[in-house]
Amino acid sequence: MPSQSKISNKMNKYLSISQEVKEALEAGRPVVALESTIISHGMPYPQNVETALKVEQTIRDNGAVPATIAIIGGKLKAGCTPEEIEYLGKKGQAVTKASRRDLPVLIARGEDGATTVTTTMIIAAMAGIKVFATGGIGGVHRGAETTMDISADLEELAQTPVMVICAGAKSILDLGLTLEYLETKGVPVIGYGTEELPAFYTRRSGFKVDYRIDTPEELAAAFRAKLEMGLAGGMLVTNPIPEEYSLDPNYINEAIDKAIKKSVELGIKGKATTPFLLAEIKDITGGNSLDANIQLVLNNARLAARTAVCLSNKND
Ligand code: PSU
Ligand code: MN
C-alpha cells in the first residue's frame, strides 16, 4: 500500500488550488465552494457569468473567500479567475457536464469539465473546503421506477464530507423519492428557517425536512459534530427562495409538466435530461424563472459564507 503522503502527492498532481484559496485554507479562514455546471449548463450567457461573479462578490461581502470549482485543461481547479469563469460561461453547453464517472477520461485527455454538485463536492473535499453553495441539486427523477434515473449527487452526499446549501430541488424531480433516498443513505436534510422542503422556485413543497435550523451557528455546530464523529458523507441544507422572488406554484408547475412531457416525447435520456428541462422551463417562463434562479443562488451564497465563518471561528 502506498503511504498517505504519497497518495496526496499524487492527488496534488491533478488538483490546482488558486493562491487566494490556498492562503485562506492554510490560515483557517472561511472558504465557500461554488459549482460550474450552473454556469455552463444552468443559465444562458451572459447572465451566467454575471451571476457567477456576483455570487463570488456576495461571498466576499459576507466574510468568506469564494472558490469556483471546474475542470480546465485536465486540472481540477479550486478557485477560478474571472477570465476562467468567462471562458466556462461563453463556451456553455460545449463544456462537458462532468459528474463522478467523467473525471478519469476528462483528466487523462486534458479536457475541460463543468462540475456538477457531485464533482464540486469531490474537488472541494480534496482541497479541504467544507461548505458549498449552489442553486438546486439533482435527485430521483419522476418516473425513476422505470428509468432508474437517480442523480449521482445523492450518492456523493452519502460519502463526501461537504455541506451543500441549496434552495431544495425542482419538481422536475420526484421530491418524495429523493427524500427517501437521502434517508436511506443517512444524509441529514435541514430546512433553514423552515420545516418544509423548499422546491427551488417556491418556498413550499408539501414534504417535511428532517430538522429545522434557524442560525448559521447551529448549521456549523451540526456539521462539525458530523465531521468530528467521523460519520461519512455531507449534509444537505435547503434554504427557501426569499418570498419576494418566489414564483406562483401553479404557474411554475405547469411549465415543469410541459417540459417533462416534451422530454419524454423527444426521448431525452441520461445526463442530457436535467439541462434539457432547465432550458425548457426557462423558455416557457420567458426568463421569469431565470430571475428567481439568480436570486436564490445569491441567497444561498450569503448563508454559506456566514456558515463557513462560524465553522472557521471554532478552529481558533
Ligand atoms: N438542478 C438545478 N440546477 C442545476 C442542476 C440541477 O436546478 O444547475 C445541475 C447541478 O450541477 C446538478 C446537476 O448537480 O444539474 C444534476 O444533474 P443530473 O440530474 O444529471 O445528475
Ligand atoms: Mn441522471
Side-chain angles (χ1 to χ4, degrees):
M1 283 285 283
S3 72
Q4 196 58 42
S5 71
K6 270 200 188 134
I7 293 174
S8 56
N9 283 343
K10 280 196 181 146
M11 193 173 85
N12 290 343
K13 190 171 107 183
Y14 300 107
L15 181 63
S16 160
I17 307 181
S18 74
Q19 195 57 33
E20 186 193 14
V21 171
K22 196 183 288 171
E23 282 171 14
L25 289 169
E26 278 167 6
R29 289 200 302 271
V31 178
V32 173
L34 298 161
E35 65 157 298
S36 46
T37 289
I38 194 173
I39 304 175
S40 297
H41 295 259
M43 291 183 191
Y45 181 79
Q47 289 96 331
N48 55 0
V49 173
E50 285 162 18
T51 304
L53 296 175
K54 234 190 247 172
V55 168
E56 288 210 338
Q57 188 56 48
T58 301
I59 286 171
R60 291 184 197 285
D61 294 344
N62 287 276
V65 171
T68 296
I69 290 185
I71 301 158
I72 297 182
K75 280 272 183 196
L76 309 175
K77 290 259 182 189
C80 287
T81 62
E83 292 72 30
E84 287 167 333
I85 289 173
E86 168 74 21
Y87 168 76
L88 292 164
K90 213 166 193 174
K91 207 171 160 194
Q93 308 269 345
V95 184
T96 301
K97 177 183 157 195
S99 192
R100 178 175 268 270
R101 56 102 185 256
D102 301 289
L103 290 181
V105 175
L106 284 181
I107 298 308
R109 288 183 175 167
E111 289 183 5
D112 300 328
T115 54
T116 62
V117 167
T118 296
T119 38
T120 304
M121 289 179 76
I122 293 173
I123 297 167
M126 279 182 188
I129 303 169
K130 298 190 187 77
V131 181
F132 162 23
T134 188
I137 60 155
V140 180
H141 276 265
R142 292 200 211 164
E145 58 276 20
T146 50
T147 62
M148 288 187 72
D149 190 349
I150 299 173
S151 175
D153 292 353
L154 301 184
E155 291 294 327
E156 210 57 50
L157 281 162
Q159 61 177 316
T160 301
V162 174
M163 184 196 295
V164 179
I165 299 186
C166 69
K170 291 193 175 81
S171 39
I172 58 173
L173 303 174
D174 187 318
L175 299 181
L177 291 186
T178 300
L179 288 173
E180 290 294 346
Y181 201 95
L182 289 167
E183 180 189 359
T184 302
K185 294 288 175 176
V187 178
V189 179
I190 310 297
Y192 188 70
T194 179
E195 272 149 33
E196 196 170 326
L197 179 77
F200 199 85
Y201 298 118
T202 58
R203 293 172 61 85
R204 314 196 55 171
S205 67
F207 292 96
K208 282 231 175 302
V209 293
D210 303 331
Y211 294 94
R212 170 179 173 160
I213 289 183
D214 291 338
T215 62
E217 287 78 11
E218 202 193 342
L219 288 178
F223 194 56
R224 191 179 301 115
K226 182 164 199 208
L227 293 175
E228 288 177 354
M229 283 186 284
L231 285 181
M235 191 165 113
L236 186 63
V237 177
T238 62
N239 185 27
I241 183 171
E243 189 83 59
E244 63 268 39
Y245 302 113
S246 69
L247 299 182
D248 176 61
N250 292 328
Y251 169 73
I252 193 66
N253 287 331
E254 210 174 285
I256 289 172
D257 287 343
K258 256 192 215 158
I260 292 179
K261 190 159 169 268
K262 188 160 171 190
S263 78
V264 172
E265 281 163 12
L266 293 177
I268 308 286
K269 286 199 174 61
K271 71 189 284 189
T273 303
T274 298
F276 176 86
L277 294 173
L278 299 182
E280 276 296 307
I281 293 164
K282 191 198 80 231
D283 289 348
I284 294 168
T285 60
N288 286 340
S289 65
L290 182 60
D291 293 340
N293 201 341
I294 292 169
Q295 292 302 328
L296 64 84
V297 176
L298 292 171
N299 189 46
N300 295 339
R302 265 187 299 272
L303 179 59
R306 290 178 190 156
T307 305
V309 168
C310 295
L311 259 176
S312 70
N313 282 345
K314 257 292 175 60
N315 287 340
D316 300 341

